[in-house]
Amino acid sequence: MNTKTITRSLLFWIVVAIVLGICCSFFFPEWLARIFITFNGLFSNFLGFFVPVLIFALITPAIAGLGRGAGKWLGITAGIAYGSTVISGLIAWALSTALYPWLLGDQALVTDVEDVDAGGLSPFFEVEIPAPFEVMTALVLAFCLGLAMTAVKSETMYKVATDLEGAIMKVVTSFVIPLLPLFIFGIFLNLGMNENMGATMAAFGKVLLLSVIMTIVLLVIQYLIAGAVAGVNPLTALRNMLPAYFTALGTSSSAASIPVTLRSTLNNKVDENVAGFVVPLCATIHLSGSMMKIGLYAFAVIYMGGLDVSPGPSLGFILLLGIMMIAAPGVPGGAIMAATGLLASMLGFNDEMVALMIAAYIVVDSFGTAANVTGDGAIALVLNRFASGKIEGQKNDESKERDDATVA
């Protein structure tokens, strides 16, 4: 691959942004860093406004194109996503049971940690951009309208939905994706200049490292299974999803990563309309990476804190957490905030333990999110094996620009 092709790759610019953000954090003066933090605040608020519209615009025509089979494919996708999330939690449970006596030994629980976010830089100013509706509202509205359109069979409504999809994807390809590297640069710049990051890392270091490794192992397992089902090379498919992985690593948001996840999924030769249906849906319901991290953290706290938690509540915690996390889709750190109630009620965590969980989760939040969105591509491959060509839709700019996004 020649130099020009590499420099046009989104993955290249994302990696450059991450490296530069970390390096610049060592010598940037605070006033200069705050300029980028201000941009990040504005762009983040725009994404908060735009992502619900994006989800609505992508899922509505996809549901409408499914026709009478909409309920079946929706149920299958949701079942696979939930199953993947729960299996991830069970792996974390089994792994912690087997490894923690050796890995943690007699290590005591350290709950005197600082607020990680409090050590970051603040922007010069903020501009609130309220979303027209919440992410979950967008998801439910898209389902209702899409299903209604399959019954009404209105060509006018369907054309409006597909035209909206094309217009929104134009915003994605012309505005959102080009600015993502700058956004990711600012995030890693802020992380590098965060004064409170080290305290949490020291308190929970071994488990943090294990969680990062296991999110990667989880992806390998998912793509081995998806490759076997879809009849594709799992390593090639996983490589094509790297732009989505690194975007989520930088943004810590599944919803904000949807444009790149969709593009990467299309590079795996997934049907355009299958990808348009699966990717935004799974961005809100598939949370296997987050489950792996929270599970490993929770069972570490149980072990180090000497809590007596029987298998029943542990299993119930995993099953319910897979549902509860859907309540906070696409929000950085949203998964652990959704889990706080279960940690206290089912596992007996006190306030200090919950605070440690939140701090530890936020430190490497992006690795769980990256596993979530990259795993969405594996689910899309599985669905594509059975649903390809069965979902009608409109070709949009994303398919035209697919070749430009191909990654070495």
Side-chain angles (χ1 to χ4, degrees):
M1 181 174 290
N2 58 44
T3 304
K4 183 178 180 181
T5 304
I6 293 176
T7 56
R8 292 176 63 187
S9 163
L10 178 62
L11 175 59
F12 171 79
W13 289 110
I14 291 173
V15 172
V16 168
I18 292 174
V19 173
L20 283 179
I22 295 173
C23 293
C24 291
S25 68
F26 291 105
F27 61 87
F28 262 30
E30 183 176 319
W31 66 266
L32 181 57
R34 289 182 66 192
I35 293 175
F36 292 96
I37 303 307
T38 302
F39 166 79
N40 272 28
L42 296 174
F43 191 71
S44 179
N45 287 340
F46 170 78
L47 287 178
F49 160 81
F50 182 70
V51 164
V53 180
L54 173 65
I55 291 174
F56 174 77
L58 289 179
I59 292 184
T60 301
I63 293 287
L66 284 168
R68 294 182 179 178
K72 179 181 73 173
W73 294 118
L74 175 59
I76 290 173
T77 304
I80 294 174
Y82 180 70
S84 174
T85 301
V86 169
I87 289 173
S88 175
L90 295 176
I91 293 174
W93 186 15
L95 199 65
S96 62
T97 302
L99 291 184
Y100 284 170
W102 164 77
L103 183 66
L104 301 178
D106 297 327
Q107 181 175 335
L109 184 65
V110 180
T111 56
D112 185 19
V113 299
E114 299 182 68
D115 182 356
V116 177
D117 286 337
L121 299 176
S122 60
F124 285 114
F125 62 90
E126 298 180 1
V127 177
E128 295 294 330
I129 311 176
F133 34 70
E134 299 293 332
V135 169
M136 190 57 67
T137 302
L139 194 61
V140 174
L141 182 61
F143 287 154
C144 293
L145 186 58
L147 290 172
M149 287 165 61
T150 65
V152 175
K153 301 188 184 304
S154 169
E155 292 297 327
T156 302
M157 289 183 64
Y158 186 72
K159 188 175 187 308
V160 169
T162 52
D163 284 349
L164 176 62
E165 177 190 16
I168 291 300
M169 289 309 301
K170 185 63 177 177
V171 175
V172 167
T173 56
S174 301
F175 179 73
V176 176
I177 288 180
L179 289 178
L180 275 176
L182 183 59
F183 180 58
I184 291 171
F185 168 81
I187 288 176
F188 277 84
L189 178 66
N190 193 24
L191 285 176
M193 300 180 74
N194 190 322
E195 300 173 354
N196 292 343
M197 193 68 69
T200 304
M201 290 293 289
F204 227 49
K206 293 179 182 178
V207 182
L208 291 175
L209 181 60
L210 177 63
S211 70
V212 170
I213 294 172
M214 283 309 301
T215 55
I216 297 173
V217 171
L218 179 66
L219 285 177
V220 173
I221 295 173
Q222 289 174 338
Y223 274 85
L224 287 174
I225 296 173
V229 173
V232 300
N233 186 320
L235 296 181
T236 300
L238 186 54
R239 184 195 68 181
N240 288 338
M241 293 299 297
L242 287 180
Y245 182 90
F246 282 99
T247 299
L249 196 65
T251 62
S252 297
S253 170
S254 298
S257 304
I258 287 175
V260 182
T261 308
L262 179 61
R263 172 177 285 190
S264 300
T265 303
L266 292 174
N267 286 337
N268 276 332
K269 303 298 186 294
V270 173
D271 180 86
E272 181 178 11
N273 300 303
V274 172
F277 169 68
V278 173
V279 168
L281 173 60
C282 286
T284 63
I285 66 174
H286 182 225
L287 297 149
S288 57
S290 297
M291 174 67 84
M292 176 63 71
K293 285 177 53 189
I294 293 176
L296 289 173
Y297 295 170
F299 293 119
V301 171
I302 290 172
Y303 177 83
M304 291 188 292
L307 298 180
D308 183 17
V309 180
S310 63
S314 297
L315 178 60
F317 170 74
I318 292 172
L319 295 176
L320 288 177
L321 182 58
I323 299 173
M324 290 290 291
M325 287 189 296
I326 299 174
V331 180
I336 188 62
M337 299 310 296
T340 54
L342 291 177
L343 290 170
S345 63
M346 299 196 70
L347 301 183
F349 282 29
N350 58 31
D351 292 342
E352 289 77 17
M353 292 175 176
V354 172
L356 173 61
M357 286 284 294
I358 294 173
Y361 188 92
I362 291 175
V363 168
V364 287
D365 177 22
S366 56
F367 285 94
T369 305
N372 292 341
V373 303
T374 309
D376 296 346
I379 295 178
L381 282 171
V382 173
L383 262 292
N384 191 63
R385 169 68 175 78
F386 305 101
S388 180
K390 298 180 180 179
I391 305 177
E392 299 176 2
Q394 170 179 297
K395 300 294 181 183
N396 54 45
D397 290 341
E398 187 67 24
S399 61
K400 299 174 185 176
E401 299 184 13
R402 195 178 314 169
D403 292 338
D404 293 339
T406 302
V407 180

